């Protein structure tokens, strides 16, 4: 069964600190992995996409990594800001039209 | 450029009532989707469409219906509402298929069935 597991479930960090969110998946075959940011009361918005051949990709203060051998991805947030408070969802695609959503990590950045 | 627009944002229904969630996109995307998001769960696909006139079931289609008469619009119909349909519903669209293309989501419709 295709699964996407994220950890931690929730996280509280001080403004300015770094954090790393984890995503483990069992989706096979693998096509790509996306990280989405979902602000409270809003729809998810794509942050980055990783394909099989990519190890690292950055989008501003967000850096995603992918280890396709161990089926793990991480999202590192540098110098966190209050606006980073949101849920971060890992989405793994594999095979025709197969897309599996993780349950998300809820991040709260406090001043 | 509005993107994906959903209405209504909030709705309370009584058991057995019916309603339609509206969704429209202005990006000329062929692919459109309806998802539901329940607490502690990943988004689940209800129905999707690969173009006007073509719809197909997703993972959790029971109790719902859709139509796609135009490229822009993809309404979701709830017949005989049940408490299990209490959820947040998201409409999304993509230029490519959902397993290759970026999904663009609406802001969601929060539905409560009492």
């Amino acid at each position: 069964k295709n699964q996407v597991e994220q950890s931690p479930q929730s996280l509280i960090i001080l403004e300015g600190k770094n954090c790393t969110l984890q995503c483990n998946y069992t989706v096979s075959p693998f096509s790509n992995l996306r990280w989405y940011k979902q602000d409270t009361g809003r729809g998810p918005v794509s942050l980055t996409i990783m394909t099989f051949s990519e190890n690292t990709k950055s989008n501003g203060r967000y850096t995603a990594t992918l280890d396709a051998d161990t089926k793990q991805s991480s999202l590192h947030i540098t110098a966190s800001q209050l606006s980073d408070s949101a849920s971060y969802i890992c989405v793994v695609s594999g095979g025709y039209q197969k897309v599996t959503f993780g349950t998300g990590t809820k991040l709260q950045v406090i001043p | 450029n509005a993107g994906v627009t959903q209405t209504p944002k909030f709705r309370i229904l009584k058991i057995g009532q019916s309603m339609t969630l509206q969704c429209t996109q202005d990006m000329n995307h062929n692919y459109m989707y309806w998802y539901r998001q329940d607490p502690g769960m990943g988004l689940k696909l209800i129905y999707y469409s690969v173009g006007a006139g073509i719809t197909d079931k997703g993972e959790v289609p029971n109790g719902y219906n859709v139509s796609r008469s135009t490229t822009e619009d993809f309404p979701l119909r709830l017949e005989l509402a049940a408490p299990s349909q209490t959820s947040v519903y998201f409409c999304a669209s993509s230029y490519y298929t959902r397993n290759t293309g970026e999904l663009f989501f609406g802001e969601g419709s929060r539905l409560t069935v009492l």
Side-chain angles (χ1 to χ4, degrees):
Chain A
K1 181 180 178 182
N2 291 332
Q3 287 188 313
V4 176
E5 295 184 352
Q6 294 188 240
S7 61
Q9 226 173 358
S10 62
L11 183 63
I12 301 175
I13 62 172
L14 290 173
E15 186 180 10
K17 297 295 186 183
N18 304 337
C19 68
T20 300
L21 315 180
Q22 300 289 345
C23 173
N24 296 338
Y25 61 92
T26 60
V27 175
S28 183
F30 174 84
S31 175
N32 62 70
L33 183 149
R34 284 186 185 270
W35 284 94
Y36 283 82
K37 179 187 180 189
Q38 184 177 20
D39 292 319
T40 301
R42 308 293 294 270
V45 175
S46 179
L47 288 174
T48 184
I49 178 172
M50 307 286 290
T51 58
F52 186 87
S53 59
E54 295 174 305
N55 298 120
T56 304
K57 184 173 283 187
S58 292
N59 177 2
R61 293 179 298 100
Y62 300 102
T63 299
T65 66
L66 174 67
D67 186 333
D69 291 331
T70 61
K71 299 188 177 181
Q72 296 179 326
S73 177
S74 65
L75 181 69
H76 185 75
I77 304 175
T78 303
S80 61
Q81 300 177 357
L82 297 178
S83 59
D84 293 329
S85 295
S87 288
Y88 292 84
I89 303 172
C90 176
V91 183
V92 183
S93 299
Y96 179 68
Q97 298 278 20
K98 291 193 184 298
V99 176
T100 306
F101 287 77
T103 56
T105 292
K106 186 169 185 176
L107 173 66
Q108 187 178 357
V109 181
I110 58 176
Chain B
N1 198 346
V4 178
T5 303
Q6 291 179 234
T7 57
K9 286 189 175 3
F10 302 94
R11 183 74 187 267
I12 298 175
L13 281 181
K14 294 182 179 179
I15 294 172
Q17 288 185 320
S18 299
M19 74 160 297
T20 299
L21 299 178
Q22 302 291 344
C23 175
T24 186
Q25 52 94 7
D26 62 1
M27 295 174 283
N28 203 32
H29 287 168
N30 280 326
Y31 301 89
M32 295 190 74
Y33 318 89
W34 275 104
Y35 287 92
R36 60 178 287 172
Q37 186 177 40
D38 299 307
M41 305 283 287
L43 275 80
K44 297 295 184 187
L45 182 65
I46 305 171
Y47 269 95
Y48 67 98
S49 170
V50 301
I54 307 169
T55 62
D56 208 346
K57 296 178 180 178
E59 303 166 83
V60 290
N62 291 345
Y64 307 95
N65 268 304
V66 294
S67 60
R68 186 94 181 271
S69 56
T70 66
T71 299
E72 295 78 20
D73 300 307
F74 190 42
L76 177 71
R77 177 84 178 159
L78 280 73
E79 304 282 1
L80 300 174
S84 60
Q85 293 178 304
T86 294
S87 189
V88 181
Y89 292 84
F90 288 97
C91 180
S93 71
S94 64
Y95 184 78
Y96 300 104
T97 61
R98 68 182 181 277
N99 61 317
T100 56
E102 176 182 353
L103 294 171
F104 293 84
F105 287 88
E107 299 209 339
S109 299
R110 183 176 293 275
L111 175 67
T112 302
V113 182
L114 301 174

